[in-house]
Amino acid sequence: MKHKFTLVPTELDTDWDNFVANSPQGTPFVHSDFIAALALPYHAYYCCKGNEKMAAVLLITDEQGQSVVGHHDVIHDGIMHRDTQHLNKSQRHSEHFAVQEAIAQYIADKYETVYLKLHPSITDIRAFLWVNYHNDGPKYSAVPRYTSTVDIAEFSDEQLQKEHLLSYQNSSVSRRQEIRYGLKKGVSISNSDKFDTFAKFYGLTMARQGIEISNCKLDALSKQVSQLAAQSRLVMFQAQDSEGAIGSFATFLIHNDTAYYFYGANNPTMRDSHTGTAVLWQAFPELAKMGITKLDLEGINSPQRGWFKLSFGGDITPYFHLRLQ
Protein backbone atom coordinates (compact mmCIF):
# COMPACT_ATOMS: atom_id res chain seq x y z
CA MET A 1 0.00 0.00 0.00
CA LYS A 2 1.33 3.42 -0.98
CA HIS A 3 1.63 6.03 1.74
CA LYS A 4 1.61 9.78 1.16
CA PHE A 5 4.97 11.21 2.13
CA THR A 6 6.64 14.44 1.09
CA LEU A 7 10.33 15.27 1.07
CA VAL A 8 10.86 18.75 2.45
CA PRO A 9 14.23 20.47 1.83
CA THR A 10 16.00 21.65 4.98
CA GLU A 11 19.30 23.00 6.26
CA LEU A 12 21.67 21.40 8.74
CA ASP A 13 20.74 23.38 11.83
CA THR A 14 19.98 22.78 15.50
CA ASP A 15 16.69 21.03 14.70
CA TRP A 16 18.56 18.72 12.31
CA ASP A 17 21.18 17.87 14.92
CA ASN A 18 18.47 17.13 17.49
CA PHE A 19 16.77 14.76 15.05
CA VAL A 20 20.11 13.03 14.35
CA ALA A 21 20.86 12.71 18.08
CA ASN A 22 17.59 10.85 18.63
CA SER A 23 17.63 8.70 15.50
CA PRO A 24 18.85 5.08 15.72
CA GLN A 25 20.75 5.80 12.49
CA GLY A 26 22.33 9.00 13.77
CA THR A 27 26.11 9.22 13.44
CA PRO A 28 28.72 11.98 13.70
CA PHE A 29 29.11 11.85 9.92
CA VAL A 30 25.76 13.58 9.36
CA HIS A 31 26.10 16.17 12.11
CA SER A 32 26.05 19.79 10.95
CA ASP A 33 29.52 20.51 12.40
CA PHE A 34 31.07 17.58 10.56
CA ILE A 35 29.60 18.51 7.17
CA ALA A 36 30.51 22.17 7.72
CA ALA A 37 34.13 21.19 8.44
CA LEU A 38 34.27 19.41 5.09
CA ALA A 39 32.55 22.30 3.24
CA LEU A 40 30.68 19.84 1.03
CA PRO A 41 27.74 20.53 -1.29
CA TYR A 42 24.71 18.67 0.00
CA HIS A 43 20.94 18.37 -0.16
CA ALA A 44 19.10 17.60 3.08
CA TYR A 45 15.44 16.66 3.50
CA TYR A 46 12.88 15.60 6.02
CA CYS A 47 10.56 12.84 4.90
CA CYS A 48 7.23 13.96 6.32
CA LYS A 49 3.81 12.48 6.74
CA GLY A 50 1.65 15.55 7.12
CA ASN A 51 3.58 17.72 9.56
CA GLU A 52 5.34 14.80 11.24
CA LYS A 53 9.02 14.16 10.49
CA MET A 54 9.39 10.45 9.82
CA ALA A 55 13.01 10.49 8.65
CA ALA A 56 15.90 12.74 7.71
CA VAL A 57 17.89 12.34 4.50
CA LEU A 58 21.39 13.65 3.79
CA LEU A 59 22.73 13.49 0.23
CA ILE A 60 26.27 14.59 -0.64
CA THR A 61 26.00 15.98 -4.17
CA ASP A 62 28.23 17.20 -6.96
CA GLU A 63 28.73 20.94 -7.35
CA GLN A 64 25.76 21.17 -9.74
CA GLY A 65 23.45 19.31 -7.36
CA GLN A 66 22.47 16.91 -10.12
CA SER A 67 24.05 13.71 -8.80
CA VAL A 68 24.48 12.18 -5.36
CA VAL A 69 28.17 11.34 -5.18
CA GLY A 70 29.02 10.80 -1.49
CA HIS A 71 32.35 11.57 0.13
CA HIS A 72 35.05 9.29 1.54
CA ASP A 73 34.92 10.92 4.98
CA VAL A 74 31.13 10.64 5.24
CA ILE A 75 30.98 6.95 6.08
CA HIS A 76 27.19 6.82 6.53
CA ASP A 77 24.84 9.27 4.82
CA GLY A 78 21.41 8.53 3.41
CA ILE A 79 18.53 7.83 5.77
CA MET A 80 17.95 8.42 9.47
CA HIS A 81 14.57 7.20 10.74
CA ARG A 82 12.79 8.78 13.67
CA ASP A 83 12.90 6.93 16.99
CA THR A 84 10.28 4.18 16.64
CA GLN A 85 10.73 2.37 19.96
CA HIS A 86 7.09 3.12 20.77
CA LEU A 87 6.01 0.88 17.86
CA ASN A 88 5.88 -2.90 17.89
CA LYS A 89 8.12 -4.83 15.53
CA SER A 90 5.53 -5.21 12.77
CA GLN A 91 4.64 -1.52 12.86
CA ARG A 92 8.30 -0.55 12.84
CA HIS A 93 9.09 -2.71 9.79
CA SER A 94 6.06 -1.32 7.97
CA GLU A 95 6.93 2.30 8.66
CA HIS A 96 10.60 1.91 7.74
CA PHE A 97 9.72 0.21 4.46
CA ALA A 98 7.13 2.83 3.52
CA VAL A 99 9.49 5.71 4.32
CA GLN A 100 12.37 4.15 2.40
CA GLU A 101 10.06 3.44 -0.54
CA ALA A 102 9.14 7.12 -0.78
CA ILE A 103 12.75 8.26 -0.42
CA ALA A 104 14.13 5.72 -2.90
CA GLN A 105 11.66 6.76 -5.59
CA TYR A 106 12.07 10.49 -4.96
CA ILE A 107 15.83 10.53 -5.34
CA ALA A 108 15.69 8.12 -8.29
CA ASP A 109 13.42 10.60 -10.06
CA LYS A 110 15.35 13.72 -9.06
CA TYR A 111 19.03 12.83 -9.53
CA GLU A 112 21.01 11.60 -12.54
CA THR A 113 23.05 9.13 -10.50
CA VAL A 114 22.91 8.18 -6.83
CA TYR A 115 25.50 6.83 -4.39
CA LEU A 116 24.33 6.21 -0.81
CA LYS A 117 26.07 4.66 2.19
CA LEU A 118 23.48 3.34 4.62
CA HIS A 119 23.74 2.89 8.37
CA PRO A 120 24.43 -0.73 9.50
CA SER A 121 21.04 -0.93 11.22
CA ILE A 122 19.27 -0.60 7.86
CA THR A 123 19.22 -4.24 6.80
CA ASP A 124 15.99 -4.31 4.79
CA ILE A 125 16.75 -2.55 1.47
CA ARG A 126 13.93 -4.04 -0.59
CA ALA A 127 12.36 -0.60 -1.05
CA PHE A 128 15.44 0.43 -3.02
CA LEU A 129 15.89 -2.81 -4.94
CA TRP A 130 12.26 -2.70 -6.11
CA VAL A 131 12.49 0.75 -7.73
CA ASN A 132 11.60 0.32 -11.44
CA TYR A 133 11.28 -3.42 -10.80
CA HIS A 134 8.70 -3.87 -13.57
CA ASN A 135 10.13 -1.48 -16.15
CA ASP A 136 13.39 -0.56 -17.84
CA GLY A 137 14.10 2.49 -15.66
CA PRO A 138 17.34 2.81 -13.67
CA LYS A 139 17.68 0.41 -10.76
CA TYR A 140 19.60 0.42 -7.51
CA SER A 141 22.37 -2.08 -6.95
CA ALA A 142 23.76 -2.95 -3.54
CA VAL A 143 27.32 -3.69 -2.44
CA PRO A 144 27.91 -5.06 1.06
CA ARG A 145 30.57 -3.39 3.19
CA TYR A 146 31.83 -4.37 6.63
CA THR A 147 33.01 -2.82 9.84
CA SER A 148 34.14 -4.10 13.23
CA THR A 149 32.53 -2.96 16.47
CA VAL A 150 34.01 -3.48 19.93
CA ASP A 151 31.99 -3.40 23.15
CA ILE A 152 34.18 -1.33 25.49
CA ALA A 153 31.70 -0.92 28.36
CA GLU A 154 33.76 -3.36 30.45
CA PHE A 155 36.69 -0.93 30.45
CA SER A 156 34.77 1.35 32.80
CA ASP A 157 35.67 -1.12 35.57
CA GLU A 158 39.18 0.08 36.44
CA GLN A 159 39.73 -2.87 38.78
CA LEU A 160 39.33 -5.47 36.02
CA GLN A 161 42.66 -6.94 34.96
CA LYS A 162 43.32 -7.12 31.23
CA GLU A 163 43.38 -10.94 31.30
CA HIS A 164 39.73 -10.89 32.45
CA LEU A 165 38.56 -8.45 29.78
CA LEU A 166 36.50 -10.11 27.04
CA SER A 167 38.10 -7.79 24.48
CA TYR A 168 41.54 -9.06 25.48
CA GLN A 169 40.41 -12.69 25.50
CA ASN A 170 38.87 -12.28 22.04
CA SER A 171 41.88 -10.52 20.55
CA SER A 172 44.30 -12.42 18.36
CA VAL A 173 47.44 -14.01 19.82
CA SER A 174 49.67 -11.49 18.08
CA ARG A 175 47.56 -8.54 19.27
CA ARG A 176 47.64 -9.73 22.89
CA GLN A 177 51.39 -10.06 22.55
CA GLU A 178 51.68 -6.50 21.24
CA ILE A 179 49.51 -5.24 24.10
CA ARG A 180 51.78 -6.93 26.66
CA TYR A 181 54.98 -5.72 24.99
CA GLY A 182 53.71 -2.15 24.88
CA LEU A 183 52.78 -2.13 28.56
CA LYS A 184 56.06 -3.80 29.57
CA LYS A 185 58.14 -1.26 27.65
CA GLY A 186 56.33 1.72 29.09
CA VAL A 187 54.33 2.81 26.05
CA SER A 188 51.58 5.19 27.15
CA ILE A 189 48.89 7.36 25.59
CA SER A 190 47.56 10.82 26.29
CA ASN A 191 45.10 13.29 24.83
CA SER A 192 46.76 15.26 22.08
CA ASP A 193 46.38 18.55 20.25
CA LYS A 194 49.40 18.06 17.98
CA PHE A 195 47.27 18.21 14.86
CA ASP A 196 50.06 19.31 12.52
CA THR A 197 52.30 16.43 13.65
CA PHE A 198 49.38 14.04 13.23
CA ALA A 199 48.84 15.23 9.64
CA LYS A 200 52.56 14.92 8.91
CA PHE A 201 52.59 11.33 10.22
CA TYR A 202 49.48 10.57 8.18
CA GLY A 203 51.25 11.70 5.03
CA LEU A 204 54.23 9.49 5.88
CA THR A 205 51.95 6.54 6.67
CA MET A 206 50.20 6.80 3.30
CA ALA A 207 53.50 7.32 1.45
CA ARG A 208 54.66 3.93 2.77
CA GLN A 209 51.66 2.46 0.94
CA GLY A 210 52.57 4.24 -2.27
CA ILE A 211 49.94 6.98 -1.85
CA GLU A 212 51.24 10.53 -2.06
CA ILE A 213 49.12 13.22 -0.39
CA SER A 214 49.77 16.89 -1.12
CA ASN A 215 50.75 19.30 1.63
CA CYS A 216 47.57 21.22 0.87
CA LYS A 217 45.41 18.19 1.65
CA LEU A 218 47.40 17.41 4.78
CA ASP A 219 46.93 20.99 5.99
CA ALA A 220 43.19 20.64 5.34
CA LEU A 221 43.12 17.38 7.35
CA SER A 222 44.91 19.05 10.26
CA LYS A 223 42.45 21.95 10.21
CA GLN A 224 39.44 19.62 9.96
CA VAL A 225 40.50 17.48 12.93
CA SER A 226 41.42 20.54 14.98
CA GLN A 227 38.05 22.15 14.29
CA LEU A 228 36.11 19.03 15.23
CA ALA A 229 38.11 18.66 18.44
CA ALA A 230 37.36 22.28 19.37
CA GLN A 231 33.66 21.51 18.94
CA SER A 232 33.96 18.40 21.17
CA ARG A 233 33.02 16.21 18.20
CA LEU A 234 36.38 14.45 18.14
CA VAL A 235 39.10 13.30 20.51
CA MET A 236 42.70 12.53 19.50
CA PHE A 237 45.19 10.37 21.39
CA GLN A 238 48.92 10.06 20.92
CA ALA A 239 51.02 7.07 21.92
CA GLN A 240 54.59 7.65 23.02
CA ASP A 241 57.42 5.39 24.10
CA SER A 242 59.06 5.48 27.53
CA GLU A 243 61.30 8.36 26.41
CA GLY A 244 58.37 10.47 25.20
CA ALA A 245 58.84 10.01 21.46
CA ILE A 246 55.46 9.99 19.69
CA GLY A 247 54.92 6.95 17.51
CA SER A 248 51.20 6.92 16.70
CA PHE A 249 48.01 8.98 16.67
CA ALA A 250 44.37 7.91 16.61
CA THR A 251 41.32 10.13 16.20
CA PHE A 252 37.77 9.20 17.22
CA LEU A 253 34.49 10.90 16.38
CA ILE A 254 32.00 10.94 19.25
CA HIS A 255 28.23 10.46 18.96
CA ASN A 256 26.12 9.72 22.04
CA ASP A 257 27.57 6.52 23.57
CA THR A 258 29.49 5.46 20.45
CA ALA A 259 32.96 6.38 19.20
CA TYR A 260 33.97 6.00 15.55
CA TYR A 261 37.59 5.52 14.54
CA PHE A 262 38.32 8.30 12.07
CA TYR A 263 41.98 8.70 11.07
CA GLY A 264 45.15 7.15 12.43
CA ALA A 265 48.80 7.86 11.70
CA ASN A 266 52.17 6.39 12.60
CA ASN A 267 55.79 7.47 12.56
CA PRO A 268 57.37 5.01 10.11
CA THR A 269 60.69 5.15 11.99
CA MET A 270 59.00 3.73 15.12
CA ARG A 271 57.21 0.75 13.61
CA ASP A 272 58.65 -1.62 16.22
CA SER A 273 57.76 0.55 19.21
CA HIS A 274 54.29 -1.06 19.79
CA THR A 275 52.59 2.37 19.69
CA GLY A 276 50.25 1.36 16.84
CA THR A 277 48.51 -1.18 19.07
CA ALA A 278 48.75 0.91 22.24
CA VAL A 279 47.08 3.98 20.75
CA LEU A 280 43.94 1.89 20.25
CA TRP A 281 44.04 -0.53 23.16
CA GLN A 282 44.89 2.09 25.77
CA ALA A 283 42.26 4.41 24.30
CA PHE A 284 39.50 1.94 25.21
CA PRO A 285 39.44 2.78 28.95
CA GLU A 286 39.84 6.50 28.21
CA LEU A 287 36.82 6.43 25.94
CA ALA A 288 34.89 4.37 28.50
CA LYS A 289 35.51 7.14 31.05
CA MET A 290 33.71 9.49 28.66
CA GLY A 291 30.61 7.27 28.73
CA ILE A 292 31.40 5.48 25.48
CA THR A 293 30.21 1.87 25.44
CA LYS A 294 30.76 0.93 21.78
CA LEU A 295 33.64 1.57 19.41
CA ASP A 296 33.16 1.30 15.66
CA LEU A 297 36.59 0.70 14.16
CA GLU A 298 35.09 1.84 10.88
CA GLY A 299 35.79 -0.32 7.94
CA ILE A 300 37.52 -3.66 7.47
CA ASN A 301 37.27 -3.52 3.71
CA SER A 302 40.96 -3.03 2.97
CA PRO A 303 43.40 -5.96 3.11
CA GLN A 304 45.99 -3.58 4.59
CA ARG A 305 43.78 -2.56 7.53
CA GLY A 306 41.02 -5.14 7.91
CA TRP A 307 42.93 -7.83 9.77
CA PHE A 308 44.56 -5.33 12.11
CA LYS A 309 41.20 -3.96 13.23
CA LEU A 310 39.65 -7.40 13.56
CA SER A 311 42.54 -8.53 15.74
CA PHE A 312 41.03 -6.52 18.61
CA GLY A 313 38.24 -9.09 18.89
CA GLY A 314 35.28 -7.05 17.71
CA ASP A 315 32.12 -8.20 15.97
CA ILE A 316 31.75 -8.04 12.18
CA THR A 317 28.87 -5.83 11.10
CA PRO A 318 27.72 -5.46 7.47
CA TYR A 319 26.14 -2.42 5.87
CA PHE A 320 25.16 -1.42 2.32
CA HIS A 321 26.37 0.95 -0.35
CA LEU A 322 23.67 1.65 -2.92
CA ARG A 323 24.12 2.92 -6.49
CA LEU A 324 21.57 4.07 -9.01
CA GLN A 325 22.95 4.52 -12.53
Side-chain angles (χ1 to χ4, degrees), residues 10 21-22 38 60 66 88 105 116 128 239 255 276 301 303-304 317:
T10 188
N22 290 292
L38 290 174
I60 308 302
Q66 297 177 345
N88 67 31
Q105 191 62 60
L116 294 178
F128 286 92
H255 179 79
N301 300 290
Q304 289 87 353
T317 305

Side-chain angles (χ1 to χ4, degrees), residues 111-168:
Y111 297 96
E112 293 180 357
T113 61
V114 175
Y115 178 37
L116 294 178
K117 296 181 280 186
L118 300 182
H119 189 272
S121 67
I122 300 179
T123 57
D124 179 6
I125 59 171
R126 292 172 300 156
F128 286 92
L129 300 181
W130 291 352
V131 168
N132 294 321
Y133 190 87
H134 294 294
N135 60 53
D136 294 330
K139 296 175 176 59
Y140 289 93
S141 59
V143 175
R145 305 286 285 178
Y146 303 90
T147 190
S148 178
T149 57
V150 182
D151 185 342
I152 62 171
E154 62 181 347
F155 286 87
S156 62
D157 183 353
E158 298 180 9
Q159 304 303 315
L160 201 59
Q161 298 297 312
K162 71 176 186 302
E163 289 80 7
H164 298 143
L165 292 164
L166 287 176
S167 295
Y168 183 80

Side-chain angles (χ1 to χ4, degrees), residues 19-225:
F19 190 97
V20 168
N22 290 292
S23 169
Q25 291 78 39
T27 70
F29 306 108
V30 295
H31 196 279
S32 62
D33 289 341
F34 186 80
I35 299 300
L38 290 174
L40 296 174
Y42 69 85
H43 290 167
Y45 303 90
Y46 290 118
C47 181
C48 299
K49 187 176 183 181
N51 294 322
E52 189 173 9
K53 297 172 182 175
M54 311 297 285
V57 185
L58 178 66
L59 308 175
I60 308 302
T61 69
D62 59 10
E63 292 293 341
Q64 296 74 33
Q66 297 177 345
S67 291
V68 181
V69 298
H71 186 274
H72 60 84
D73 277 348
V74 184
I75 305 304
H76 304 299
D77 49 34
I79 300 171
M80 292 140 280
H81 291 278
R82 67 170 181 160
D83 186 352
T84 55
Q85 290 187 37
H86 61 288
L87 302 178
N88 67 31
K89 187 176 293 187
S90 177
Q91 293 169 328
R92 192 178 305 124
H93 288 326
S94 179
E95 178 177 308
H96 286 186
F97 181 88
V99 167
Q100 290 178 34
E101 186 178 40
I103 294 169
Q105 191 62 60
Y106 179 90
I107 59 181
D109 293 339
K110 182 175 176 63
Y111 297 96
E112 293 180 357
T113 61
V114 175
Y115 178 37
L116 294 178
K117 296 181 280 186
L118 300 182
H119 189 272
S121 67
I122 300 179
T123 57
D124 179 6
I125 59 171
R126 292 172 300 156
F128 286 92
L129 300 181
W130 291 352
V131 168
N132 294 321
Y133 190 87
H134 294 294
N135 60 53
D136 294 330
K139 296 175 176 59
Y140 289 93
S141 59
V143 175
R145 305 286 285 178
Y146 303 90
T147 190
S148 178
T149 57
V150 182
D151 185 342
I152 62 171
E154 62 181 347
F155 286 87
S156 62
D157 183 353
E158 298 180 9
Q159 304 303 315
L160 201 59
Q161 298 297 312
K162 71 176 186 302
E163 289 80 7
H164 298 143
L165 292 164
L166 287 176
S167 295
Y168 183 80
Q169 295 171 11
N170 288 325
S171 294
S172 69
V173 172
S174 62
R175 195 57 49 217
R176 293 199 300 269
Q177 185 180 61
E178 280 291 301
I179 291 168
R180 293 194 301 272
Y181 284 168
L183 293 172
K184 182 178 181 180
K185 294 184 179 182
V187 176
S188 62
I189 74 162
S190 58
N191 285 82
S192 179
D193 60 1
K194 299 181 184 299
F195 303 112
D196 289 341
T197 305
F198 154 74
K200 175 185 175 182
F201 281 11
Y202 182 75
L204 295 173
T205 300
M206 300 308 290
R208 284 195 69 253
Q209 301 175 29
I211 303 172
E212 296 296 330
I213 300 179
S214 68
N215 288 332
C216 181
K217 290 184 177 180
L218 291 176
D219 289 342
L221 176 61
S222 174
K223 181 179 178 181
Q224 177 193 9
V225 172

